[in-house]
Amino acid sequence: MCLVSGDGRADVVDGREILAVEAVSKAYGPTVALADVSLSVRAGEIHGLLGENGAGKSTLLKIISGAEAADAGVVRVDGRMLRADPGRVLATGVAMIYQELTLVSELSVAENMHLGALPSRRGLLRANEARRAADAVLRSLGAKDIDVDLPVGRLPLNAQQLVEIGRALVRGAGVIVLDEATSALNSQEVAGLFALLRKLRASGGAILFVSHHLEEVLAICDRVTVMRDGRIVDTRPTSCWTEEQLVRAMLATDLSVAFPYQTREIGPPVLECREVVLPPLLRGVNLSLSCGEIVGVVGVTGAGRSELLRVLAGAAQPTSGEIILQGKTIRPRSPRDGLRAGIAYGPKDRKSEGLWLRGPVLDNLLMGAWRGSSRLGYLPGSPLRRRCRRLLRDLDVKVRDELGPVEHLSGGNQQKVLLGRLMQHRPRVVLLDEPARGLDVGAKSAIYAAIAELAASGAAAVVSSSDLHDIVGVTDRTLVLRRGRIAKEIKRSDYSRERLLEAMSAG
């Protein structure tokens, strides 16, 4: 029997099984990544998959995509067993859309969307046909302004993500696996993607939707499966889950435990900015931060959240205005200047701006803090390693070798390394732009616990985030950016996601 909710979503899907994962297990040496995992996605279903980092989701997706072979068990599509061969899996109609983009920057949007399968006749490429098909798919995604002839590397990150999704759709894939595919999209683009996914579901498509955003999973999925420690914890119709139940299933703990708000003593003002202008987004921002507080910054896309943090950190220079740190006017010309003054900055894009990906975890942790570690110009190995290991332990960073490249760590552990480096400098002010973007609930909990520790030590912390759950969970007050100015301040006692959304979109 198929029960349909008020928004047309099927709570119980009565379609045939398209993708079937049957008793799959995988181990890497003594580490068991998957243990007897079974999962199915049916025709006309959007199936959510949740689990914190390390739960086994990535390993499962690698096996589904053919990138790795299972030690035991099988994966079937329409009853046909898949082999560990990504090309054959793709030809079978399984399209993988990852959080990390797989586009070729120098090629056009249309060429990327048809990469490896450009339409041709008698050996001649049919460029116009490729362009028309690419344009039609992008329009269906609500991205009609993307020029299909433009090199994809010239597009912003969110537009590149839409091209990645469009590439799977233009090939007519029957099974689509989306791994954090909304991480770089704004709310309007997410709404457009969801509308398309609903169309695909109505036409009988099978979609596996992997996301750390619980509200997205509950909004779009028909059934939800939760993984923990390499095993399936539970699979239920979406109507049988709440956010609190999902968190409890993922972490074996309650939401209030995962995001415990900590009351702190708020000290005197430490940082102030007056009439800061950075065209075209900042048009006269005034704010004051006090020791020991965590302040949220929210706003719709284009409100200037990232730009405000960049100005305060020295990564961008305002055309006018004043920044005052502990009573003295400062004019940082770079993040290094800001750090020397006592302002630590964690950028939104940790991979390209925050970390040396190929560098060792140790070097990333201590980057810029050598002065306090060196003796007569030399770095003592043993004390440095002890300091590094202590920090890794305090932040619960899961790493086998602190001398291994940081790019081998999960996104959550990379973010912990970045935050750990900022903590090394004992900053007076720490500015964090989307510190939990793309992270699961467990990693978020660790990140925000570390931020709370910084605030408890007397630092002022600013958290800019598009996730209002995070803002409500960890901040003392929130500043709403609108039309280049601080339009409203909302205190913790007045918090609600509805009030924040209303303040962001008003006027």
Side-chain angles (χ1 to χ4, degrees):
M1 182 178 179
C2 182
L3 301 178
V4 181
S5 60
D7 62 356
R9 181 175 60 203
D11 289 327
V12 180
V13 179
D14 193 22
R16 61 189 175 88
E17 190 175 72
I18 302 294
L19 174 66
V21 177
E22 302 173 358
V24 164
S25 296
K26 180 71 178 180
Y28 300 95
T31 303
V32 177
L34 297 174
D36 196 31
V37 169
S38 295
L39 171 75
S40 69
V41 185
R42 305 167 186 168
E45 176 182 34
I46 303 176
H47 193 125
L49 179 63
L50 288 175
E52 65 173 326
N53 290 342
K57 303 190 309 298
S58 295
T59 303
L60 178 59
L61 296 189
K62 288 177 183 177
I63 291 173
I64 292 174
S65 70
E68 292 197 11
D71 296 336
V74 297
V75 178
R76 302 181 191 276
V77 173
D78 275 332
R80 291 174 293 173
M81 187 170 67
L82 299 184
R83 304 293 182 185
D85 183 331
R88 289 188 178 182
V89 170
L90 182 61
T92 306
V94 180
M96 307 292 296
I97 300 172
Y98 296 103
Q99 180 180 7
E100 302 298 332
L101 303 180
T102 59
L103 303 173
V104 181
S105 298
E106 294 79 12
L107 296 182
S108 72
V109 169
E111 289 168 333
N112 269 279
M113 290 176 66
H114 290 86
L115 198 60
L118 283 166
S120 62
R121 178 175 292 178
R122 296 178 181 176
L124 298 176
L125 295 179
R126 306 184 68 181
N128 288 336
E129 182 178 330
R131 292 177 67 259
R132 285 194 297 270
D135 186 64
V137 168
L138 290 174
R139 284 178 176 274
S140 71
L141 279 171
K144 62 182 180 180
D145 294 332
I146 295 180
D147 184 351
V148 295
D149 294 320
L150 196 69
V152 79
R154 292 171 58 182
L155 297 176
L157 181 61
N158 61 334
Q160 291 185 33
Q161 181 71 79
L162 290 173
V163 172
E164 184 90 42
I165 295 167
R167 182 165 63 186
L169 301 179
V170 81
R171 296 181 179 184
V175 178
I176 298 178
V177 182
L178 297 103
D179 184 14
E180 299 294 340
T182 64
S183 61
L185 306 183
N186 61 36
S187 57
Q188 183 179 359
E189 290 160 343
V190 169
L193 172 61
F194 282 7
L196 180 62
L197 293 182
R198 292 187 180 103
K199 292 179 184 177
L200 294 172
R201 175 176 59 192
S203 65
I207 301 163
L208 183 61
F209 185 82
V210 185
S211 176
H212 291 316
H213 295 285
L214 304 184
E215 67 277 13
E216 289 184 358
V217 171
L218 293 175
I220 191 64
C221 296
D222 302 297
R223 289 189 297 160
V224 180
T225 292
V226 176
M227 295 185 68
R228 186 174 71 236
D229 298 329
R231 300 178 182 274
I232 299 295
V233 176
D234 201 357
T235 297
R236 304 181 195 171
T238 306
S239 59
C240 297
W241 289 109
T242 65
E243 288 193 20
E244 290 76 12
Q245 290 170 331
L246 288 171
V247 171
R248 191 179 305 119
M250 290 168 60
L251 304 180
T253 189
D254 291 331
L255 187 60
S256 59
V257 176
F259 289 90
Y261 174 75
Q262 302 175 15
T263 57
R264 293 172 301 279
E265 181 178 347
I266 307 301
V270 61
L271 180 73
E272 184 180 0
C273 73
R274 300 173 181 170
E275 293 298 325
V276 166
V277 176
L278 180 70
L281 295 179
L282 303 182
R283 303 175 184 176
V285 174
N286 296 278
L287 63 82
S288 177
L289 307 174
S290 296
C291 298
E293 70 172 343
I294 303 176
V295 177
V297 177
V298 300
V300 298
T301 301
R305 291 186 291 117
S306 295
E307 288 73 17
L308 174 58
L309 267 60
R310 288 175 61 81
V311 165
L312 296 177
Q317 281 66 57
T319 57
S320 62
E322 189 176 16
I323 301 173
I324 302 168
L325 180 66
Q326 291 190 315
K328 296 182 179 179
T329 298
I330 61 171
R331 296 180 178 85
R333 296 293 176 182
S334 68
R336 177 176 293 182
D337 285 350
L339 193 58
R340 287 172 178 166
I343 301 174
Y345 171 54
K348 179 191 298 185
D349 191 345
R350 58 179 174 268
K351 292 184 181 294
S352 65
E353 297 182 53
L355 295 169
W356 175 27
L357 289 180
R358 296 186 178 180
V361 173
L362 174 65
D363 289 2
N364 274 276
L365 269 173
L366 300 177
M367 196 180 297
W370 305 118
R371 186 176 300 173
S373 305
S374 62
R375 296 177 183 174
L376 301 176
Y378 294 93
L379 295 171
S382 295
L384 205 59
R385 283 202 177 197
R386 284 197 298 269
R387 178 174 167 185
C388 175
R389 287 170 181 151
R390 184 170 58 251
L391 190 57
L392 292 173
R393 184 176 61 253
D394 292 344
L395 289 172
D396 192 27
V397 179
K398 295 178 176 61
V399 56
R400 295 180 182 178
D401 180 11
E402 63 265 26
L403 296 180
V406 76
E407 67 181 346
H408 290 171
L409 301 184
S410 68
N413 286 313
Q414 288 179 2
Q415 187 67 26
K416 291 177 188 178
V417 170
L418 175 57
L419 185 57
R421 184 173 77 228
L422 302 184
M423 295 172 68
Q424 292 269 29
H425 295 272
R426 297 181 177 87
R428 299 181 180 93
V429 178
V430 59
L431 309 170
L432 300 166
D433 195 357
E434 299 283 3
R437 175 174 169 260
L439 305 186
D440 63 73
V441 176
K444 284 184 179 184
S445 177
I447 292 294
Y448 286 125
I451 296 172
E453 182 181 335
L454 273 171
S457 70
V462 178
V463 175
S464 170
S465 178
S466 56
D467 193 325
L468 298 185
H469 284 280
D470 295 0
I471 292 292
V472 170
V474 301
T475 60
D476 300 295
R477 60 188 174 99
T478 294
L479 305 176
V480 181
L481 266 175
R482 194 168 68 240
R483 295 183 178 177
R485 300 177 183 271
I486 303 295
K488 192 168 187 177
E489 175 184 314
I490 302 178
K491 297 181 179 179
R492 180 167 189 82
S493 57
D494 297 325
Y495 271 178
S496 73
R497 292 179 67 232
E498 292 74 20
R499 185 165 293 166
L500 287 169
L501 283 170
E502 181 182 356
M504 289 165 58
S505 58

